[in-house]
Structure formats: C-alpha cells, structure tokens
Amino acid sequence: MKILICYFSGTGNTKRVVDKFAECLKENGNDVTLQRVEHEFNLNIEDFDLIGFGYPVHAFNAPEIILSFVKKLKKLENKKDVFIINTSGEPLKLNNISSIKLTSLLKKKNMIVKYEYHYVMPYNIIFRHTDRMAYRMWETAKKIIPLDVKELLEKKPAKLKKVFMGRFLAYIFRIEHWGGKFNGKHYKVLPECINCNCCVNICPTKNITVKDGGLHFGKNCIMCMRCSFLCQKNAIKIGFFNKWKVNGVYNFNNPGDTSEDKHKKYCKKAYQKYFKLSEERIAKASAE
Ligand SMILES: Cc1cc2nc3c(=O)[nH]c(=O)nc-3n(C[C@H](O)[C@H](O)[C@H](O)COP(=O)(O)O)c2cc1C
C-alpha cells in the first residue's frame, strides 16, 4: 500500500510518534511518505491508498497550521478512509475532541476519518515532566504503536470517544488560534540571546525575523513552542504564558532520572489509568 502521513510537530513529540508509526507500516511492507505540513507540498493525494494526519493537541484542538493545510487540499474524486495520530501532554478524555474540526474539514475533501490514535507525550508547555516520566511515556507509545498499526492494517475501526458537547467545547477552545497570534506579538528576547538565529530558522510560520539587529515577532505565531523550547540560552519569553514555558529537549533515555517530580499529583488518576490500560493491552498482545 502507498501511505502518506501529513503531520505537524512543534517540538518533536509528534514527529517521534509519526516516525515510529511509519517504521511499523514499512515493516509491514508498505511504502510510506512523510510530509511536514509547513513544507512545500506538491504530491498528488490521489496517488495514495491511505492517508494519515498527525498533530499535537493544542487547547483541545488540532493546531491551526494543520487545519489550513487540509483546507488547501484538493477534494478526492472518491471517498477514502483516513487516520489521525495525535499526541498530548495529559491523558484527559477532553483531548479526544481535538479531532472534531479536522474530521469535518477532511469530510469535505472526501476523506473519512475511520481511525484515531492518541499517545501521551511530555508537555511542551504548562510544566516540565521529569525525564523518568518522558521515558515511560515514550516506552509505552513505542509498544502501543505496533499494535495500532496492526489494527489499522486490519482495518479495525478506532474512533476516540468524544465527551458530551464536544463540538461546542472544541469551538470555544479554538480561541487559542486567535489568542496565539495575539500572544505571539508579546514574545520578548532576553539579554542572554546570542543572535544564533536558531529561532528565526526553525519557526514553522516564518514569524520571527531580524529587524534593526534585533528579533521581531510577527502576527502569525501558532504557539507551537518550537522557538522557546529549543532556544539553547532559554532567551525567549513567551508573552502572557511565560510561567508555563518549558525549555530544553527531554532525555527520553533516562529511566534512572531521580529528579523530584513536582507535579506528581497533577492528573494522577488519568495518567495511572493511561499506563494501566496500555500495559494491559501490551501484555495481552504478547500473550497471544
Ligand atoms: C499551545 C499548546 C496547547 C496545548 N494544549 C494541550 C491540551 O489541550 N491538552 C494536552 O493534553 N496537551 C496540550 N499541549 C501539550 C502538547 O499537546 C504535547 O506536549 C505534545 O506532545 C507536543 O507535541 P509536539 O512536540 O509534536 O509539538 C499543548 C501544547 C501547546 C504548545
């Protein structure tokens, strides 16, 4: 099968998951093409047997960049089933509503969402998970993805259960798309900045430019956190959300991390449930 996965990843979590997904699809004999939505797109979607869309959950929605990518796609001549992959920092059911708008946009293009897969990955905003937790999340995703890929190839429908009034709630939370643009104009650079221009080069919307020797933040920020997360000098203040800033990549290979988990009570039950259900599924699959 020829499979296309179009995805957005702000700080690398979704990319990690999509890469693993693609690896498993390839191991099963499929030809997989990956397309980052911020890059130039000149493929013919009619050429693919199966299409997937990957994104990080942003305020219980898909980021605007993936919605506008889909809006620009041409309508398929015949209906085709598609799949969604998303990652989020917490395992709340409310995250399941993130695909509602995307699903209806895809339907207009004759792409019918039959399969949805969700993986919990460490936060890139709000607070920093410990490396120990990041390791556990990634280990879990790595074991669950092959099971999901198997079910996808068997065409087993997989829709995430939506909460009551999900469509309305998702609509309200989409204020983040507008709020991100507003907040983005209030990003500031600290004196620690060494003018490496890393942020300028990696911003997916080319929103950061050099003006009069300093950095200028325009009105197209999508709050993906790439600039501030990857800034080596932690020199970017993210406007009104600076208290929630997370800086620096996670070490996903650090199970022995002994740093104190300051947020161990946060959504404790939801995380416990996510890991318990995942471990049960992994155990069941390996017993088969
Ligand atoms: C602006 C913004 C909003 C977010 N909103 C949510 C959310 O509603 N629920 C959630 O669980 N995680 C949320 N997150 C966390 C990300 O979904 C999570 O860290 C994701 O794995 C990041 O993926 P990426 O590295 O591919 O960008 C949000 C992150 C950002 C930057």
Side-chain angles (χ1 to χ4, degrees):
M1 241 194 321
K2 276 189 81 171
I3 302 174
L4 170 68
I5 309 181
C6 306
Y7 72 98
F8 175 70
S9 179
T11 56
N13 286 344
T14 311
K15 180 182 181 331
R16 222 166 233 278
V17 164
V18 165
D19 284 348
K20 180 72 189 166
F21 217 88
E23 183 190 307
C24 294
L25 286 167
K26 283 182 194 161
E27 278 166 11
N28 282 278
N30 297 287
D31 175 1
V32 185
T33 304
L34 296 180
Q35 169 76 43
R36 290 190 89 131
V37 297
E38 74 247 43
H39 290 170
E40 201 189 358
F41 180 64
N42 42 28
L43 300 167
N44 181 1
I45 46 169
E46 295 283 1
D47 290 344
F48 295 90
D49 306 300
L50 184 63
I51 305 168
F53 295 86
Y55 64 86
V57 176
H58 279 186
F60 309 109
N61 274 283
E64 193 185 19
I65 194 167
I66 194 119
L67 300 182
S68 32
F69 175 83
V70 169
K71 281 180 195 160
K72 283 188 226 137
L73 288 178
K74 70 169 194 187
K75 188 175 176 183
L76 290 174
E77 279 182 23
N78 297 305
K79 282 191 177 152
K80 221 172 246 183
D81 293 344
V82 302
F83 65 94
I84 282 178
I85 301 170
N86 61 40
T87 69
S88 73
E90 64 209 7
L92 293 181
K93 263 207 196 114
L94 199 52
N95 285 317
N96 295 354
I97 66 175
S98 74
S99 59
I100 292 178
K101 178 72 183 170
L102 178 62
T103 301
S104 58
L105 287 177
L106 287 167
K107 198 173 167 198
K108 289 186 189 151
K109 307 285 175 176
N110 263 345
M111 295 187 227
I112 310 301
V113 176
K114 272 263 177 74
Y115 319 95
E116 290 178 78
Y117 307 104
H118 166 245
Y119 308 95
V120 177
M121 291 293 276
Y123 264 142
N124 58 357
I125 192 170
I126 300 186
F127 66 81
R128 189 177 184 83
H129 280 106
T130 60
D131 280 351
R132 190 169 63 251
M133 185 65 147
Y135 170 85
R136 191 173 180 200
M137 289 172 177
W138 177 228
E139 284 303 300
T140 305
K142 273 197 295 189
K143 289 178 189 145
I144 291 288
I145 290 168
L147 308 180
D148 286 340
V149 166
K150 185 171 172 279
E151 292 190 359
L152 171 66
L153 296 173
E154 286 166 357
K155 299 193 174 165
K156 185 174 171 193
K159 290 294 286 284
L160 297 171
K161 207 166 169 233
K162 310 293 181 286
V163 299
F164 176 62
M165 301 242 293
R167 185 172 294 274
F168 173 69
L169 291 171
Y171 172 77
I172 300 288
F173 281 115
R174 271 203 298 286
I175 193 171
E176 186 259 349
H177 290 176
W178 170 85
K181 287 188 173 76
F182 175 75
N183 181 64
K185 289 206 283 189
H186 293 84
Y187 276 34
K188 294 258 166 352
V189 184
L190 297 169
E192 285 81 356
C193 172
I194 51 164
N195 299 317
C196 69
N197 284 353
C198 169
C199 55
V200 175
N201 297 324
I202 60 175
C203 174
T205 58
K206 309 262 176 282
N207 193 46
I208 313 173
T209 47
V210 182
K211 240 186 196 173
D212 306 325
L215 292 179
H216 173 77
F217 296 89
K219 54 179 173 28
N220 291 319
C221 178
I222 53 165
M223 291 274 290
C224 72
M225 299 298 132
R226 197 183 288 172
C227 60
S228 55
F229 187 82
L230 295 179
C231 176
Q232 282 180 39
K233 296 290 171 189
N234 194 7
I236 298 179
K237 282 180 90 173
I238 57 166
F240 300 105
F241 297 94
N242 204 48
K243 283 220 164 87
W244 283 359
K245 182 171 68 167
V246 175
N247 174 260
V249 291
Y250 286 95
N251 180 355
F252 288 93
N253 300 313
N254 191 9
D257 164 33
T258 51
S259 61
E260 188 203 346
D261 187 353
K262 293 185 200 133
H263 305 280
K264 57 177 178 255
K265 289 199 179 133
Y266 178 85
C267 290
K268 193 176 169 190
K269 280 195 179 151
Y271 284 110
Q272 275 174 349
K273 191 173 168 198
Y274 173 76
F275 288 125
K276 186 170 173 275
L277 291 177
S278 304
E279 278 151 19
E280 281 171 8
R281 196 172 156 212
I282 295 160
K284 193 172 165 226
S286 55
E288 276 170 4

